[in-house]
Every structure is written in C-alpha cells, then in structure tokens.
Amino acid sequence: MARRRRRCRVLVVCIYVSWFLSACNSQAGKAGEVTRKCFSQNNTDRPGRDFYGMPIEKLTYEDCCTACLKNALCKALVYNEDNRRCWFKHDAPPPSPLANHISAILEDSQEPVIICPSDFETSTYIDMHTIELTWSLPSVSDNSGSVNLSVSHERGSNFSIGVTTVSYIAEDPFGNTAYCWFNVTVKEQNCVNDHDLDTEKMIPSET
C-alpha cells in the first residue's frame, strides 16, 4: 500500500513539473515573439558585428535571408552579389554605400531621430487673412536607412493669423516612430505703413 502511494505521488509530481515547464515555454514563446523580415537595401554594406566563422559561401540572397531569419541571434545581414557570400550580423551597424552588395536588417526597436526647424513668425496684411509659407524640412536619420515622413501641414500651405503647430512623424520600415513639431505665428500688419504715408505726402496734388 505504501509503494502505491509513493508511485502516485511521483506520478503527480512528474505530471505537474511537465505541465509547468510546458506552460512556461509557451508563455516565453508568446512574450518573445518579434516580427522578423528582411528589409533590404541595394548597393549597401553594414561593416562590423559579423558572426564568428562568416561568410557563408555560395548562397542566393533569398537563402541568406531565410537562414538569418531562422537564427534568433541574427539581426542583420550583408550579401555580396559577385561572389555569393553571406555575412550574419549580431546587430544592425549603420549602412554605407558599396556596389554589388545587399544589406538587410531583420528586426529593429530603435526609433528614428528627427529634428524640426525652430519656431518662427511672420506677418500679413489684415485684409489678406492668410499667407502662404514654407520652411526647411526636418533633419531625419534611422539605422534602417529608410524613413517615411508625414506632416500635419504641407510646405506651401496657407496659414491664418494666429499660432499654428506643424507636426512631423518619422516612421521606419519596422513601425518605429518619432515626432517633432514647431509653431508658426502669423501676426496682423496694417495695410499702410509709415513709409507709404511719407511717399503719399511727396505726390503732388492735381491743380
């Protein structure tokens, strides 16, 4: 009778441990899920951060990308189109131009860097109501080498008297975003200024 109880206890403990490890692995898998894809750039290298033992010889670019995607430690790659060599990268070094090379990053959590122009102000005559304005584009960079810009007000738009906030959003191919904004102030200006009045005084009257 004692042996049966011990066997039952051992069996229950084994089942519980098996279920616990399975549940932990399942939750860890869900928590660690990251969307991975090869975002490629032609004629581009990413020097440094190579895996030990690289390159891999005689692969197509598609095979290079597929192999990197299957390796959780591979964050980027470089492929030489001339000799069909493939380098895996531990992270995504900055891109640099290099003919007949394809670089790709597979996952990215780094936000773009965006710097907007400074606030500025101008004036328009009261009876005109609006004024057409333009400005310099923001300075934008990202480790992917590609950024999409969207803006609340396009350059060359008409602005009314008052303060308007112009907002920019920078988004990289992996959905990481960064924001910046600046204020445009349009002030009222009288239709006739002092110089115009002086000029009118100099015009001779008709006799």
Side-chain angles (χ1 to χ4, degrees):
M1 192 69 177
R3 290 181 180 177
R4 289 181 181 177
R5 288 179 179 175
R6 288 177 182 174
R7 287 179 182 175
C8 289
R9 289 175 181 173
V10 171
L11 179 60
V12 170
V13 170
C14 288
I15 292 174
Y16 174 77
V17 171
S18 177
W19 169 83
F20 178 77
L21 292 175
S22 176
C24 288
N25 290 334
S26 176
Q27 292 300 320
K30 290 179 181 179
E33 284 179 0
V34 177
T35 300
R36 286 165 58 88
K37 58 183 178 181
C38 287
F39 176 76
S40 61
Q41 292 178 282
N42 294 327
N43 298 316
T44 306
D45 187 18
R46 291 181 180 271
R49 302 296 291 156
D50 296 344
F51 275 30
Y52 178 78
M54 293 285 113
I56 304 173
E57 304 282 347
K58 296 182 179 180
L59 290 180
T60 64
Y61 169 74
E62 290 73 18
D63 291 339
C64 179
C65 173
T66 300
C68 190
L69 285 170
K70 291 180 178 178
N71 188 325
L73 298 178
C74 184
K75 310 299 184 185
L77 64 87
V78 170
Y79 180 76
N80 187 321
E81 296 179 285
D82 292 332
N83 55 30
R84 300 173 61 197
R85 290 179 174 177
C86 173
W87 287 263
F88 290 176
K89 306 283 181 175
H90 288 288
D91 52 35
S96 61
L98 186 61
N100 302 322
H101 283 67
I102 303 174
S103 77
I105 57 176
L106 278 70
E107 58 183 75
D108 180 25
S109 59
Q110 183 175 328
E111 297 177 353
V113 176
I114 180 169
I115 302 174
C116 271
S118 300
D119 297 348
F120 70 92
E121 66 178 47
T122 186
S123 60
T124 186
Y125 294 126
I126 296 175
D127 59 349
M128 293 183 65
H129 304 296
T130 63
I131 183 172
E132 183 179 308
L133 296 175
T134 188
W135 52 84
S136 300
L137 287 172
S139 170
V140 186
S141 62
D142 187 68
N143 62 337
S144 70
S146 177
V147 182
N148 180 55
L149 270 182
S150 56
V151 63
S152 59
H153 300 76
E154 295 289 347
R155 294 192 301 168
S157 298
N158 288 319
F159 287 76
S160 302
I161 293 171
V163 180
T164 303
T165 300
V166 178
S167 303
Y168 276 92
I169 301 175
E171 183 175 4
D172 70 12
F174 292 83
N176 302 306
T177 56
Y179 308 85
C180 73
W181 57 87
F182 60 95
N183 291 324
V184 176
T185 302
V186 179
K187 294 184 174 181
E188 296 178 347
Q189 180 176 325
N190 293 328
C191 292
V192 180
N193 56 34
D194 294 339
H195 179 267
D196 294 332
L197 290 173
D198 292 340
T199 303
E200 287 182 356
K201 291 178 181 179
M202 295 173 63
I203 300 174
S205 59
E206 295 182 0
T207 55

